[in-house]
Amino acid sequence: MNQQIIISGLGGQGILFLTKLLAQAAMDSGNDVITSETHGMAMRGGTVVSHVKIGSFLSPLIRTGQADMGFFLTAGSFEIHRAFLREGAPAVINTPRTDGPFAIDAAAIAREAGARMATNLVLLGFAVKRDLPFCTVSIMREAIGRLSPSRHRQMNIEGFERGLNYEGGAS
Amino acid sequence: MDCIENRILMGNEAIGRGLVEAGCTLATSYPGTPASEVLESVVAFARETGAPVHTEWSVNEKVAYEVALANSYAGKRSSVAMKQVGLNVASDPFMRSAYLGVVGGLVVVVADDPGPHSSQTEQDSRFFSLFAHIPVFDPSTPAEAKDMVERAFSLSEEYELPVMLRPTTRVCHARQNVICRAPRRLSRKASFEKNPARWVATPRYLTKLHGLLNEKVEAIARDKSFLPTRIAGDGSFARRCIIASGVAYANVHDLLREMGVLGRIDCYKVNLPYPLNRDFIETIDQQYDTVMVFEETYPTIECQLAARGVRGRRTKDVPNCGELTPDIIDEVLRKFLGLSPTAKTEPAAPGVRPTLCPGCPHRAAFFAIRETFPDGIFPSDIGCYTLGMNFGAVDTCHCMGACISQGAGFYHAYSADGGAFPTVVVTIGDSTFFHAGIPALVNAVFSGARIIVVILDNGTTAMTGSQPTPQVGIRADGSRGRRVFIADLVSASGVSFLRRCDPYDMETFRHHLIEADGYIRSNDGGVAVIIAEHPCILDRDSMKNQTFYEMTVEDSCVGCRICINTFECPGLVFDEGTKKAVIADGVCIGCGVCSTACPVGAISADSRSESI
Ligand code: SF4
Ligand code: SF4
């Protein structure tokens, strides 16, 4: 199984955590995985991007036009990093304007659930339910339980479940 | 008991894990992206496995290097980790340690930053290792970086030489499934054998030691176990080959496979770029007409190859600066292999520039400095506060601690012309002050500079992940240490004007700035120091004591955008409909400071008890 995933957003939106979850879930489903992430100055509210490569890759970087899917934590990040996607690859976008096939107002859903910081998990749940990333719901649920710091665990699980159960949008 | 476990580790965690597994008993570091997590991981894995390791955040890389060096003299395995520019600071002990050598293995982890993503240069530490005659490993992936730690220790002990492990950002911050084992227990007792001819090595011994060093390097270069590995071609590309190391190799590998050329052209992977294996140099010279070398960031391997057909960064067949991203390598490879180029896609657009966090105490300090001295000169330094550039309150940023000396230099330049000199306000973070600010302050005081030094003391090394400074009193492993106070150091440096205040209280802070300006211009004036004290807002514990406010922008807002463009807090956004500023819910932390930044007093603050 080979899959290349791009995750883009702003520093502080939980891009790193999504990256870790996907990596853990990849290993738990019996795959090799290598990822790349942004650290340092850019994490102070600047644009950050993670690459996740599942399968027999050595390099942690995805070439332009090669990603099989993408998570975008803001509509602006989609504009910036869409070039990584291969043609027709699904782009899961957090945006108040839910007009694309995989566009979802994840921030609003997270806020409603009282899990404002779990916008990233709503997005993840939404994508996993639609079979976009490689892994199953149960493997991801377990990864979230394992990797969440205890004070955020409940909130993260809540966010993920809300994303799973979201009915809107085409699929 | 050898319990083997597959875990997802970041490159730096894999290196930290490797150090603990190899029986390293002392690990030092100074934080710097992309190297910071190495020491943190040593602490975590030592705790998890119960392995006895002394860990420390030293005040700078030179100190860190010297502490590790002596642990190795005593016969124990030691390591020091830093970012590439940290090696500039540690270069003095580094260079000499090649001549004198070590006893217990010494692994010097130097993380390079091609690009650069978070550094002041994209220098190649492998070049530094060549300069020092110290062998260097160049890992391609986290898993490999971990394996190389043990190889580096054995090489170091076999030849009694320090050995460098040089990961780059893309290895440090990659995550991969990595095999973990139980740590080795070497149980060596400290035993330093006195030998003045070696450990004191006055000039008359050094020519001999230099000769000995050359012999060691020669022997390593002939060691067959460091022959580059090869994926053999099938003859389709006769007398042509590819040589790569580090992440560039990983990219080449994935790209060749994508192109369907993996296994059709000879492709060599170099693990030890210096000293480059002698037989390998000969093979390349004899068996190939054209050779393409991919490496980051300088042509270290390329320069050691003798063959005429060698191409790479030196010949500009590969761009001679910048990171070798898959897109760049793809283009070069296709041209080299005679394949049609990939259809050009528009590259990723430039992103949003970083800014100080909402509620960051530095913002208040910079805003006040800029307002008080519109014609000032503002040397600054390295840390989150370099972002003061966005406020026009940072005019220079050079290398750790340079701001104070540069401030003094500016003063001397202007004062030599006679007449009024501009107010020079230097800003330096607390950790940077400990690192390299103290000698610079002593020098500025003694040489008669008249400048204002603002020490931005937020109680942490925030930029690199909040490592504590000596003033905080918490050591790398969480234990308590004797606190060393910045104010005491400032006084002891001969500074007689010293004020301390919370920059959130902008009125008082401005008042101190004006007072300091008076002092530096007075008859017996000199260096004035103001310590701006407010904890980093990422420090959860300190935040418990902070008062938070419910913020509202009133109708009296005139839409001047000063709070957004000049004060630049992400907690405020402009509503194009009403043409007024509004508080961004969920971004604003309610620090209350913007109420003093608004010129018409349109931002009001109501205290509330809890933080968000
Ligand atoms: S809130 Fe104050 S500073 Fe901000 S735009 Fe309105 S008037 Fe200007
Ligand atoms: S109170 Fe004002 S300065 Fe503080 S975080 Fe909120 S918007 Fe920013």
Side-chain angles (χ1 to χ4, degrees):
Chain A
M1 143 112 241
N2 281 356
Q3 190 179 31
Q4 309 192 51
I5 303 175
I6 203 89
I7 314 170
S8 158
L10 297 175
Q13 285 192 307
I15 306 286
L16 278 192
F17 190 60
L18 270 193
T19 313
K20 283 192 202 173
L21 286 175
L22 287 164
Q24 184 68 41
M27 189 179 83
D28 294 346
S29 3
N31 295 295
D32 282 332
V33 61
I34 187 159
T35 75
S36 180
E37 56 200 44
T38 314
H39 284 235
M41 189 72 95
M43 289 168 91
R44 300 283 173 264
T47 301
V48 295
V49 60
S50 279
H51 306 219
V52 181
K53 293 167 84 175
I54 298 118
S56 51
F57 295 100
L58 285 186
S59 161
L61 295 180
I62 297 176
R63 189 163 74 76
T64 306
Q66 294 297 310
D68 300 303
M69 71 158 297
F71 288 95
F72 301 90
L73 271 290
T74 66
S77 326
F78 175 63
E79 291 313 319
I80 294 166
H81 286 131
R82 62 189 304 172
F84 278 108
L85 295 175
R86 104 176 38 260
E87 224 178 280
V92 183
I93 310 173
N94 165 40
T95 164
R97 299 185 40 215
T98 57
D99 44 7
F102 301 108
I104 169 176
D105 193 350
I109 295 168
R111 215 169 339 161
E112 256 165 48
R116 202 175 44 76
M117 305 285 287
T119 302
N120 53 347
L121 273 295
V122 174
L123 215 56
L124 182 64
F126 173 79
V128 171
K129 182 60 180 289
R130 280 154 187 79
D131 287 331
L132 299 178
F134 56 93
C135 66
T136 64
V137 173
S138 65
I139 282 189
M140 186 52 85
R141 205 180 261 137
E142 200 181 307
I144 296 169
R146 183 125 56 96
L147 295 189
S148 298
S150 49
R151 63 174 196 285
H152 289 154
R153 185 166 300 131
Q154 210 36 56
M155 178 188 76
N156 285 346
I157 291 174
E158 181 64 26
F160 183 67
E161 299 297 332
R162 293 283 176 131
L164 283 178
N165 296 327
Y166 177 74
E167 294 296 342
S171 65
Chain B
M1 180 193 72
D2 199 19
C3 50
I4 291 180
E5 198 193 347
N6 201 4
R7 288 165 80 155
I8 299 280
L9 296 184
M10 200 206 288
N12 284 341
E13 294 172 337
I15 293 169
R17 177 78 196 195
L19 291 169
V20 173
E21 286 183 12
C24 175
T25 65
L26 179 143
T28 60
S29 184
Y30 181 82
T33 311
S36 311
E37 300 85 1
V38 173
L39 186 75
E40 285 162 353
S41 314
V42 173
V43 171
F45 289 123
R47 188 172 298 145
E48 182 190 305
T49 58
V53 190
H54 168 89
T55 50
E56 69 172 57
W57 288 121
S58 311
V59 293
N60 65 36
E61 294 85 354
K62 171 174 148 62
V63 172
Y65 196 94
E66 292 152 350
V67 171
L69 194 57
N71 191 66
S72 146
Y73 282 10
K76 299 182 169 187
R77 289 195 162 181
S78 323
S79 77
V80 50
M82 62 192 81
K83 66 181 296 178
Q84 88 285 39
V85 291
L87 186 58
N88 301 343
V89 177
S91 60
D92 209 353
F94 178 72
M95 294 299 294
R96 183 160 156 98
S97 65
Y99 281 55
L100 273 53
V102 300
V103 181
L106 174 61
V107 174
V108 185
V109 181
V110 187
D112 280 359
D113 189 19
H117 297 271
S118 269
S119 308
Q120 65 264 39
T121 67
E122 57 170 357
Q123 66 193 64
D124 185 339
S125 302
R126 301 173 313 157
F127 244 72
F128 224 132
S129 83
L130 184 145
F131 178 35
H133 289 13
I134 285 177
V136 57
F137 283 95
D138 191 0
S140 301
T141 62
E144 196 174 76
K146 178 169 172 293
D147 290 342
M148 284 178 174
V149 171
E150 176 57 44
R151 293 184 72 190
F153 271 121
S154 14
L155 180 64
S156 171
E157 290 181 345
E158 188 181 342
Y159 291 92
E160 299 205 341
L161 260 186
V163 173
M164 186 193 290
L165 175 66
R166 194 286 306 236
T168 54
T169 304
R170 299 304 186 179
V171 171
C172 295
H173 293 154
R175 284 175 203 277
Q176 191 181 27
N177 49 313
V178 172
I179 304 286
C180 296
R181 296 186 171 79
R184 292 174 61 171
R185 295 289 169 110
L186 297 172
S187 311
R188 297 182 189 163
K189 291 271 171 265
S191 76
F192 171 57
E193 275 178 44
K194 297 192 184 192
N195 178 358
R198 182 173 178 194
W199 305 127
V200 185
T202 48
R204 72 188 172 101
Y205 295 107
L206 287 166
T207 314
K208 197 171 141 238
L209 287 171
H210 184 189
L212 201 67
L213 172 60
N214 289 341
E215 280 167 29
K216 290 181 186 179
V217 170
E218 188 60 30
I220 296 168
R222 303 229 172 260
D223 188 332
K224 298 240 182 299
S225 56
F226 299 116
L227 263 174
T229 55
R230 178 179 69 151
I231 298 178
D234 61 2
S236 323
F237 298 89
R239 297 197 67 80
R240 258 191 281 181
C241 78
I242 297 166
I243 301 173
S245 76
V247 172
Y249 174 80
N251 282 318
V252 165
H253 172 275
D254 286 5
L255 288 165
L256 288 178
R257 197 180 52 189
E258 192 188 306
M259 294 169 193
V261 188
L262 195 67
R264 292 184 52 210
I265 179 163
D266 283 358
C267 179
Y268 291 91
K269 174 180 191 311
V270 177
N271 290 320
L272 196 78
Y274 177 80
L276 195 60
N277 186 279
R278 294 276 185 271
D279 296 336
F280 176 67
I281 295 174
E282 213 162 287
T283 307
I284 297 299
D285 188 27
Q286 287 167 5
Q287 297 185 3
Y288 302 96
D289 299 328
T290 340
V291 178
M292 187 64 79
V293 187
F294 295 97
E295 58 186 325
E296 288 178 326
T297 311
Y298 295 174
T300 310
I301 298 172
E302 198 183 334
C303 286
Q304 292 174 81
L305 288 167
R308 246 169 300 138
V310 174
R311 302 187 197 165
R313 301 192 90 135
R314 211 169 38 150
T315 59
K316 297 203 194 99
D317 288 278
V318 179
N320 64 0
C321 56
E323 186 180 8
L324 294 183
T325 61
D327 289 295
I328 289 170
I329 298 182
D330 181 72
E331 200 183 322
V332 179
L333 265 182
R334 284 177 184 276
K335 205 189 269 174
F336 179 59
L337 299 171
L339 305 175
S340 53
T342 313
K344 278 260 186 257
T345 34
E346 16 116 44
V352 179
R353 73 172 181 183
T355 181
L356 294 170
C357 300
C360 174
H362 299 335
R363 175 176 287 106
F366 284 128
F367 190 74
I369 291 170
R370 183 65 222 267
E371 251 198 350
T372 313
F373 304 111
D375 301 319
I377 296 180
F378 308 123
S380 189
D381 225 291
I382 293 168
C384 286
Y385 55 98
T386 313
L387 291 169
M389 198 169 71
N390 298 4
F391 309 90
V394 167
D395 292 331
T396 68
C397 169
H398 199 82
C399 63
M400 293 290 281
C403 60
I404 298 179
S405 329
Q406 288 189 314
F410 277 125
Y411 166 75
H412 295 309
Y414 281 90
S415 75
D417 296 348
F421 58 89
T423 303
V424 176
V425 186
V426 164
T427 43
I428 182 167
D430 47 351
S431 187
T432 312
F433 181 71
F434 278 106
H435 180 285
I438 301 165
L441 182 61
V442 172
N443 186 72
V445 168
F446 186 66
S447 66
R450 292 165 179 261
I451 58 173
I452 302 173
V453 174
V454 177
I455 302 177
L456 300 166
D457 176 7
N458 62 358
T460 189
T461 318
M463 173 96 275
T464 51
S466 305
Q467 295 80 8
T469 67
Q471 181 170 260
V472 179
I474 299 171
R475 302 200 185 105
D477 62 0
S479 65
R480 300 234 151 241
R482 188 188 295 267
R483 298 179 66 183
V484 179
F485 294 94
I486 293 175
D488 293 348
L489 293 168
V490 170
S491 303
S493 303
V495 172
S496 49
F497 182 104
L498 172 61
R499 300 287 181 276
R500 300 164 63 166
C501 86
D502 183 339
Y504 267 27
D505 178 0
M506 260 208 256
E507 276 321 306
T508 310
F509 185 64
R510 277 195 198 109
H511 173 78
H512 286 329
L513 285 171
I514 292 166
E515 207 192 340
D517 194 40
Y519 169 75
I520 63 171
R521 294 170 192 288
S522 66
N523 282 341
D524 57 349
V527 178
V529 175
I530 302 171
I531 308 180
E533 298 167 318
H534 192 103
C536 171
I537 58 118
L538 298 182
D539 180 345
R540 246 176 270 280
D541 286 339
S542 311
M543 283 304 102
K544 287 189 188 123
N545 306 319
Q546 181 163 328
T547 318
F548 292 97
Y549 301 90
E550 197 69 61
M551 306 302 295
T552 336
V553 181
E554 310 286 350
D555 274 351
S556 54
C557 165
V558 295
C560 68
R561 299 189 195 227
I562 285 178
C563 59
I564 293 164
N565 294 345
T566 316
F567 189 66
E568 209 194 82
C569 180
L572 285 152
V573 288
F574 200 72
D575 184 330
E576 291 296 344
T578 62
K579 296 280 178 220
K580 287 181 195 304
V582 283
I583 294 291
D585 250 354
V587 182
C588 165
I589 68 154
C591 71
V593 177
C594 55
S595 58
T596 30
C598 172
V600 299
I603 311 179
S604 64
D606 274 332
S607 60
R608 67 179 141 89
S609 50
E610 262 187 88
S611 77
I612 56 164

